[in-house]
Amino acid sequence: MAMTDRGRTRRDTILALLRSLGPFWIAAFVVVAGAIVEGYWSFRWQSSDAELALNPLAQAVEQVPLSIDVWKASEVVPPDPRVVQISGARALFNTTYRDQTQGDSVTVYLLAGWSRDIAVHTPDACYPGAGFVMETSPQPFTVSYSAQESGGPTRQAEFMTAVFTKSEPTGVTRLRVFWSWNDGRGWRAPRFPRWMYGGRRPLVKLYVVAESPLGQLPHQSPALRFAAVLLPVLDARLQEAFSGGMLAHDAARGNSH
């Protein structure tokens, strides 16, 4: 009987000790898990050869042609180092194309990098920082275009779009911006891109921007006319770049073993 009481006392002591340590182990788990997640998103746990996955993508972005159908651009705007640093982009392409038949102008911004950087800094966050006011809330918009430059099956590209205005001494600037992302699986525009793409995926972000006179509807924007000929050009180059990046990454991993 005495042994039984002693055993119960020992059991109760152990249970009390475990209960007292419970919060400690929970806190320890949270700290360790947080460190792992932070390392995952910041690439602390990533081998340097993983950077090879971005090289073909960066090259594809930097070498977008300046002549696409009837649209011509005179030169590429040199990337602002501050913009590159803030955006976290590995490569940035920025130029303005002009329709040689109708005279419309459309500006393109194309960025490539890791999704933890490229998935953020959307126009609704960036343009107000440049003095613009978002006139309309972002709305989804689907663009249909041919799969190849010379025609072919129809593809769908998802965009978000909004109008931004800025009052200046010369008048009011009114721009409609379309934006989308591509991780090798097509153009998509999720409301929460960082959750969709995570932090370790090679990603491209596209802005297509055109002036938007008062009363002009989204489907009337010259940006869409240009996007219809730009997207098949980008698709061909990005598909090869995404494939090349994965092959380079896999080869590097194989050589390291």
Side-chain angles (χ1 to χ4, degrees):
M1 190 70 175
M3 290 295 293
T4 301
D5 291 341
R6 194 177 302 117
R8 288 177 179 173
T9 301
R10 186 180 298 114
R11 183 197 62 186
D12 292 343
T13 302
I14 293 173
L15 290 175
L17 178 60
L18 290 176
R19 281 195 294 268
S20 67
L21 288 176
F24 168 79
W25 289 113
I26 292 173
F29 173 80
V30 171
V31 171
V32 172
I36 292 174
V37 170
E38 192 278 335
Y40 181 90
W41 280 75
S42 64
F43 310 113
R44 186 178 300 166
W45 319 128
Q46 173 179 278
S47 61
S48 59
D49 61 55
E51 293 294 319
L52 293 173
L54 287 183
N55 292 341
L57 200 60
Q59 186 176 15
V61 165
E62 293 170 346
Q63 295 180 354
V64 175
L66 296 181
S67 178
I68 302 175
D69 197 62
V70 298
W71 298 83
K72 315 292 181 184
S74 58
E75 61 181 357
V76 176
V77 178
D80 186 331
R82 294 171 300 175
V83 174
V84 173
Q85 182 179 9
I86 292 172
S87 67
R90 170 67 66 85
L92 190 155
F93 175 87
N94 173 22
T95 192
T96 297
Y97 291 85
R98 180 177 293 276
D99 185 333
Q100 302 300 299
T101 60
Q102 300 187 39
D104 295 312
S105 295
V106 174
T107 298
V108 171
Y109 298 90
L110 190 66
L111 301 87
W114 292 110
S115 51
R116 74 184 298 267
D117 302 309
I118 303 302
V120 295
H121 305 300
T122 51
D124 51 326
C126 298
Y127 271 73
F132 284 86
V133 175
M134 188 167 64
E135 184 179 274
T136 60
S137 60
Q139 299 294 325
F141 196 93
T142 301
V143 177
S144 298
Y145 65 101
S146 297
Q148 288 87 32
E149 298 178 47
S150 57
T154 300
R155 287 181 177 173
Q156 304 289 323
E158 299 175 2
F159 281 84
M160 295 296 289
T161 184
V163 170
F164 298 86
T165 62
K166 183 177 183 180
S167 297
E168 300 175 295
T170 56
V172 177
T173 299
R174 211 167 171 276
L175 302 176
R176 177 168 289 280
V177 184
F178 294 86
W179 66 95
S180 185
W181 292 266
N182 194 327
D183 65 348
R185 298 177 293 178
W187 297 99
R188 294 186 290 181
R191 291 191 177 274
F192 303 102
R194 193 168 185 179
W195 288 109
M196 170 174 282
Y197 295 116
R200 296 167 61 90
R201 185 186 299 276
L203 188 65
V204 169
K205 177 166 58 178
L206 171 66
Y207 293 2
V208 188
V209 186
E211 291 188 1
S212 181
L214 193 64
Q216 185 183 75
L217 299 177
H219 70 274
Q220 297 172 322
S221 174
L224 295 181
R225 196 168 70 250
F226 176 61
V229 296
L230 171 67
L231 291 175
V233 173
L234 294 182
D235 285 358
R237 287 156 176 77
L238 294 181
Q239 182 178 1
E240 182 177 353
F242 277 116
S243 300
M246 291 304 298
L247 290 173
H249 183 204
D250 292 343
R253 291 185 62 185
N255 292 333
S256 65
H257 294 303

